[in-house]
């Protein structure tokens, strides 16, 4: 997969978030939640106008260019919020975390800001650079789509269901609009053509003749998927207050963060159980039987989703903002960290396998194509 060049124009524009946030923090009128929401909407509107004036050609070629440019700006804002809450910078976004979205001051909020300000930011620059150079960005777009969707689908319900439900401000409704973005962006990303493969019909036929035991890497992935599916189901039952002794021991001695009243970990485990668990079953089928051409795309989507989710979950469960009684105990830290790390790495290895050796997942070639190839 070719990595497109980063968009320098978008990077320069996004760094404008530094002076803008500093100046707004000095304005005393922004101590009211309604003014915070209105000012945020106004800044995003002005930013869109500036992007349209500076990059009209790219937007007409692909409207997602404007989305990536605006989100690159908000990613810098999120990184400032995370650094500020951890004490690395002062005097930038206090007004927003106090009167706009106070739940961003939680450990989960801090880590989704870190992810958005680093991983998402680089993806936005890369995808905007690809649009500028008229190159494909389908694989990057699928990874971003999964990561962005998982972040929103856990964060918004967690705000409503958790202990911060009484502190929802008008700025929260701006975040709800983000739910529309994955639907529209996902449709455009999936509609892009796939990168051509170098697999000949004979290579596809030869690869698809092999059984699972003749493909040790796929066998290892299938074993991993079985174990990950069991872990997913187990943690889902834990947050649903399963009365078994194993669930009781796990939630109190290994991951007490699952009991945190902020509700983000509970929503996260339920998202895993209802969406990731079925995907693991379907992926096991696709690794066993050839011709499942949908797996490479969806492996990328779920790799992005689980990568973002595990980063936020692991970081929040060990962060100082999490009350001590809900943090991972020191004697179980190594075990919990390794289990969650493997849970995050597995989908990325699956996506890499699908992209690096795609012959097994391609549609079987028609007999006529093989006959013509032999004649040539």
């Amino acid at each position: 997969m070719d990595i497109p060049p980063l968009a320098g124009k978008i990077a320069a524009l996004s760094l404008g978030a530094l002076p803008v946030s500093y100046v707004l923090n000095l304005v005393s009128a922004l101590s009211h939640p309604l003014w915070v929401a209105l000012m945020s909407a106004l800044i995003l509107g002005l930013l869109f106008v500036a992007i349209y004036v500076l990059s009209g050609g790219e937007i007409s070629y692909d409207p997602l260019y404007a989305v990536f440019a605006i989100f690159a700006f908000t990613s810098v804002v999120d990184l400032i919020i995370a650094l500020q809450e951890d004490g690395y910078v002062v005097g930038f976004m206090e007004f927003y975390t106090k009167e706009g979205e106070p739940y961003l001051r939680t450990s989960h909020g801090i880590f989704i800001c870190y992810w958005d300000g680093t991983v998402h930011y680089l993806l936005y620059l890369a995808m905007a650079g690809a649009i500028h150079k008229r190159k494909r960005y389908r694989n990057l777009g699928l990874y971003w789509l999964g990561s962005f969707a998982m972040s929103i689908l856990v964060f918004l319900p967690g705000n409503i269901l958790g202990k911060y439900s009484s502190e929802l401000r008008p700025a929260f409704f701006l975040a709800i609009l983000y739910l529309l973005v994955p639907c529209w962006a996902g449709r455009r990303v999936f509609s892009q053509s796939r990168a051509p493969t170098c697999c000949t019909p004979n290579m596809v036929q030869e690869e698809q003749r092999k059984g699972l035991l003749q493909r040790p890497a796929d066998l290892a992935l299938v074993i991993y998927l079985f174990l990950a599916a069991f872990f997913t189901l187990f943690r889902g039952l834990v947050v649903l207050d399963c009365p078994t002794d194993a669930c009781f021991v796990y939630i109190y001695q290994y991951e007490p963060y699952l009991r945190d009243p902020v509700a983000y970990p509970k929503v996260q485990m339920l998202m895993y159980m209802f969406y990731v668990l079925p995907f693991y079953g379907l992926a096991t089928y696709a690794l066993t039987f050839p011709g499942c051409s949908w797996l490479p795309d969806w492996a990328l989507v779920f790799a992005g989703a689980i990568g973002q989710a595990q980063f936020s979950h692991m970081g929040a469960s060990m962060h100082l903002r999490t009350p001590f009684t809900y943090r991972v105990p020191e004697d179980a830290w190594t075990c919990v960290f390794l289990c969650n790390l493997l849970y995050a790495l597995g989908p990325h290895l699956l996506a890499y396998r699908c992209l690096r050796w795609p012959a097994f997942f391609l549609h079987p070639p028609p007999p006529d194509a093989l006959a013509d190839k032999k004649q040539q």
Side-chain angles (χ1 to χ4, degrees):
M1 180 179 65
D2 294 333
I3 303 297
L6 301 182
K9 188 188 300 184
I10 299 303
L13 189 63
S14 65
L15 293 178
L18 291 168
V20 169
S21 61
Y22 182 79
V23 171
L24 290 178
N25 196 61
L26 300 177
V27 179
S28 59
L30 292 178
S31 59
H32 193 280
L34 181 59
W35 284 112
V36 171
L38 293 176
M39 184 59 68
S40 301
L42 177 61
I43 291 174
L44 292 178
L46 294 175
L47 182 62
F48 174 78
V49 172
I51 294 167
Y52 186 81
V53 171
L54 296 174
S55 307
E58 285 80 0
I59 295 176
S60 60
Y61 175 75
D62 190 339
L64 283 179
Y65 184 87
V67 174
F68 298 149
I70 293 173
F71 281 4
F73 183 91
T74 60
S75 292
V76 175
V77 172
D78 283 344
L79 183 59
I80 294 172
I81 291 174
L83 293 173
Q84 173 186 278
E85 293 303 318
D86 276 341
Y88 296 109
V89 297
V90 180
F92 283 89
M93 292 296 292
E94 283 95 341
F95 76 97
Y96 192 81
T97 54
K98 289 180 181 178
E99 304 297 338
E101 297 187 79
Y103 32 80
L104 288 175
R105 307 181 75 176
T106 63
S107 56
H108 182 86
I110 291 171
F111 274 90
I112 66 169
C113 286
Y114 273 126
W115 182 271
D116 191 48
T118 53
V119 177
H120 283 175
Y121 182 65
L122 293 176
L123 288 173
Y124 294 140
L125 296 185
M127 291 186 289
I131 295 173
H132 179 70
K133 297 291 186 181
R134 306 300 192 261
K135 293 184 177 181
R136 291 188 185 90
Y137 62 92
R138 193 173 193 273
N139 291 339
L140 292 177
L142 292 173
Y143 188 89
W144 164 78
L145 179 64
S147 175
F148 186 84
M150 180 64 83
S151 174
I152 292 296
L153 292 176
V154 172
F155 188 59
L156 294 184
N159 296 336
I160 297 172
L161 300 174
K163 68 178 184 180
Y164 283 88
S165 59
S166 61
E167 297 191 36
L168 298 181
R169 313 289 170 80
F172 174 77
F173 298 98
L174 290 176
I176 292 180
L177 296 177
Y178 278 32
L179 287 172
L180 302 176
V181 175
C183 302
W184 175 61
R187 180 172 167 272
R188 294 193 63 90
V189 171
F190 270 103
S191 65
Q192 293 184 14
S193 61
R194 295 177 177 174
T197 63
C198 58
C199 300
T200 64
N202 284 333
M203 292 172 59
V204 174
Q205 187 184 50
E206 181 180 355
E207 184 67 20
Q208 294 185 353
R209 283 176 177 171
K210 297 178 181 178
L212 184 61
L213 297 179
Q214 296 174 291
R215 294 176 282 119
D218 290 354
L219 179 61
L221 285 172
V222 167
I223 294 173
Y224 166 82
L225 290 172
F226 272 115
L227 296 175
F230 173 78
F231 190 53
T232 302
L233 179 62
F234 176 71
R235 291 204 293 184
L237 295 175
V238 166
V239 298
L240 290 175
D241 297 327
C242 178
T244 62
D245 292 342
C247 293
F248 181 84
V249 170
Y250 187 82
I251 201 170
Y252 280 95
Q253 298 185 13
Y254 289 90
E255 281 200 82
Y257 178 60
L258 298 178
R259 298 187 295 115
D260 195 326
V262 293
Y264 302 121
K266 178 174 287 189
V267 175
Q268 185 66 77
M269 295 305 114
L270 293 178
M271 290 291 295
Y272 281 159
M273 189 167 68
F274 291 124
Y275 294 98
V276 176
L277 182 60
F279 169 73
Y280 282 157
L282 293 172
T284 301
Y285 174 87
L287 287 169
T288 307
F289 300 98
C292 297
S293 58
W294 50 266
L295 182 61
D297 289 347
W298 285 101
L300 272 173
V301 172
F302 276 89
I306 296 172
Q308 186 280 330
Q310 284 299 104
F311 176 83
S312 301
H313 179 74
M314 292 168 63
S317 65
M318 303 170 188
H319 195 266
L320 294 177
R321 284 287 175 92
T322 299
F324 180 78
T325 54
Y326 298 126
R327 286 183 227 157
V328 177
E330 290 186 5
D331 55 347
W333 189 91
T334 302
C335 176
V336 172
F337 180 80
L338 288 178
C339 288
N340 280 279
L341 181 63
L342 291 174
Y343 194 85
L345 289 178
H348 291 79
L349 294 177
L350 174 63
Y352 176 78
R353 182 263 178 271
C354 294
L355 294 176
R356 186 68 177 83
W357 301 283
F360 186 78
F361 309 106
L362 299 178
H363 290 296
D368 295 341
L370 294 173
D372 293 341
K373 186 71 175 177
K374 289 179 179 179
Q375 290 176 1
Q376 292 175 5

